Amino acid sequence: MPESGQKTTQGHITDSPVVTAARRTGLLVTLVLGGLTALPPLSMDMYLPALPEVTGALRAPAATVQLTLTACLAGMALGQLVVGPMSDKWGRRRPLLTGMAVYVLATAVCALAPSAELLIGFRLLQGLAGAAGIVIARAVVRDLYDGVEMARFFSTLMLISGVAPIIAPLIGGQILRITDWRGVFYVLTVIGVLLTLVVWRFLHETLPPERRHEGGVGQALRTMRGLLADRVFAGYTLTGGFTFAALFAYISASPFVVQDLYGASPQTFSLLFGLNSIGLVAVGQINGKLLVGRVSLDKVLGWGLGIVVLAGLALLLMTSGAFGETGLAPVAAGLFVLMSAMSLVLPNTNAQALMRTPHAAGSASALLGTSSFLVGAVASPLVGIAGEHTAVPMAVVQFGSALLALACFLGLCRPWRRTEQTGAPA
């Protein structure tokens, strides 16, 4: 039998005692990892219905308040670059628990922020700390699974974490009925405390000592440089990143588009956001239960990208007046299609990229997350560049990001060439 943590002749990592023990509690591990991946949408989406209120309460323009989203995203992006290599060196538990503790403190301070500038600063710290849950959850999946099994697990995680975007705006809207926007951060603080306790109690170490890296920052940077030199890995990373930009353009702009431009209430916005998240979850399950293992991941990914591009084009035509005066219903339908198709892209880009990097799952996961959140952070202020009274910037960013994602997939991943070389689906 191969030694623990070594590759078999087929290129898969054999089960170590650590991995075997974790798999025995598979459902519990799934729930814990789902909670960790749900934390970013909770941090973002529960706060979304309050954005218009924050502009008034802190006497700041909408573009400044949108920077609170950008700061959190940028923190999550940069934090992953640090936490990912740390988890490859010291294991998954210690960096994760440290990050969760800092997240709780930063979120509590956000609830007390007296100005937009201070709120932006602590949202940045909140994102830096919250990055631990994102990057380590993906690394743990790579520790435990491989190949098609890993792709299916990512789809399962999307089911669990997808509940967060469904309920988060609904919770946020109800919180605003009884208190102000600060109450949202108090609730997030409590959620952070509970999740930290669950991780401490139930998530065991999944990276055995013999598979850890001893290098410092220099070694981590060299590892990441080597990963980015892999054209195919870089292609999947950029494909996922630009797709996430289209997703975050929706997250950042939709509160103003739906509430200010179309006159919907915070509760109506929350309902529409929840419906879109249901589409995201449902298509994710179609991907994981029906498509993965029957259709090549690259083929599913390509179809998903095509749908996202077409939905982005339709939204651009509607919001720019090409079809005359367009109400909320057609725009909401376009956003539903765009959001749902994300589930054919994001889980499969993660799986395809991580399958190429069993030797450095933490660093690879960090690069995947960082690219997504950095591109998303850039997309956030762009959607508000023309003010609060037009949805055209949102649609332009979504359509442009989708086109870039498709170009990276076709130009860098080149799945048809790998199929020809191996004689099997990529």
Side-chain angles (χ1 to χ4, degrees):
M1 177 181 292
E3 294 181 3
S4 173
Q6 300 298 313
K7 290 184 178 180
T8 66
T9 55
Q10 286 75 29
H12 299 294
I13 297 176
T14 58
D15 290 348
S16 69
V18 173
V19 170
T20 302
R23 284 185 168 181
R24 287 197 192 104
T25 55
L27 177 59
L28 188 57
V29 170
T30 302
L31 293 175
V32 175
L33 296 182
L36 292 173
T37 54
L39 194 59
L42 282 176
S43 301
M44 295 288 178
D45 302 341
M46 195 182 294
Y47 174 61
L48 291 179
L51 282 179
E53 180 183 319
V54 176
T55 60
L58 298 182
R59 298 179 181 177
T64 300
V65 172
Q66 283 176 325
L67 287 177
T68 63
L69 296 176
T70 300
C72 189
L73 265 185
M76 289 180 180
L78 298 175
Q80 290 181 71
L81 288 177
V82 177
V83 177
M86 284 173 57
S87 74
D88 282 339
K89 181 178 181 180
W90 293 316
R92 312 305 185 199
R93 270 179 62 87
R94 274 194 292 170
L96 177 57
L97 289 170
T98 301
M100 292 299 299
V102 176
Y103 171 89
V104 169
L105 292 175
T107 306
V109 176
C110 284
L112 306 173
S115 67
E117 292 74 19
L118 196 61
L119 181 60
I120 290 170
F122 277 95
R123 285 284 277 175
L124 176 65
L125 180 59
Q126 184 191 42
L128 287 168
I134 308 167
V135 67
I136 291 178
R138 274 196 304 265
V140 168
V141 174
R142 187 63 188 91
D143 292 340
L144 300 179
Y145 299 100
D146 194 18
V148 169
E149 194 175 18
M150 180 168 56
R152 285 184 174 142
F153 194 92
F154 275 125
S155 291
T156 301
L157 279 188
M158 183 160 284
L159 170 63
I160 299 171
S161 63
V163 173
I166 296 172
I167 65 173
L170 298 174
I171 294 173
Q174 297 308 311
I175 290 173
L176 294 178
R177 285 180 176 272
I178 59 177
T179 184
D180 62 7
W181 63 272
R182 298 181 188 276
V184 174
F185 286 106
Y186 287 126
V187 173
L188 284 172
T189 301
V190 173
I191 292 172
V193 170
L194 294 175
L195 186 55
T196 303
L197 293 175
V198 169
V199 168
W200 175 77
R201 176 66 179 85
F202 296 110
L203 186 62
H204 303 294
E205 183 59 64
T206 59
L207 186 68
E210 63 270 17
R211 284 176 52 198
R212 297 179 189 176
H213 297 196
E214 293 301 324
V217 176
Q219 178 61 41
L221 292 176
R222 285 191 292 272
T223 299
M224 290 183 178
R225 184 175 61 187
L227 292 173
L228 290 175
D230 180 347
R231 173 181 52 79
V232 178
F233 174 84
Y236 286 120
T237 300
L238 291 172
T239 299
F242 284 119
T243 303
F244 189 84
L247 173 63
F248 198 75
Y250 162 76
I251 293 174
S252 182
S254 60
F256 298 98
V257 170
V258 174
Q259 295 180 72
D260 291 347
L261 189 59
Y262 290 101
S265 67
Q267 288 70 39
T268 300
F269 163 74
S270 300
L271 177 61
L272 290 175
F273 198 95
L275 289 174
N276 289 337
S277 300
I278 289 173
L280 189 77
V281 171
V283 176
Q285 292 315 289
I286 292 173
N287 176 67
K289 305 298 184 184
L290 299 179
L291 300 179
V292 171
R294 296 180 175 87
V295 183
S296 76
L297 297 183
D298 279 326
K299 186 173 291 186
V300 176
L301 206 166
W303 276 105
L305 286 171
I307 295 171
V308 172
V309 168
L310 291 175
L313 177 60
L315 285 166
L316 180 57
L317 292 174
M318 285 189 286
T319 57
S320 62
F323 302 133
E325 190 70 24
T326 303
L328 177 59
V331 173
L335 290 171
F336 177 83
V337 173
L338 183 139
M339 285 282 287
S340 299
M342 298 284 178
S343 289
L344 300 177
V345 179
L346 297 176
N348 294 329
T349 54
N350 284 337
Q352 291 285 64
L354 288 172
M355 273 193 277
R356 300 181 67 86
T357 59
H359 57 288
S363 295
S365 177
L367 287 174
L368 284 168
T370 296
S371 64
S372 296
F373 283 95
L374 278 180
V375 176
V378 172
S380 177
L382 291 179
V383 299
I385 200 168
E388 306 167 33
H389 306 295
T390 175
V392 172
M394 176 190 73
V396 168
V397 172
Q398 289 173 330
F399 181 54
S401 298
L403 282 178
L404 287 171
L406 183 60
C408 290
F409 176 63
L410 297 177
L412 295 175
C413 300
R414 303 175 189 174
W416 64 90
R417 292 193 178 183
R418 302 205 311 281
T419 300
E420 291 171 358
Q421 292 169 358
T422 61

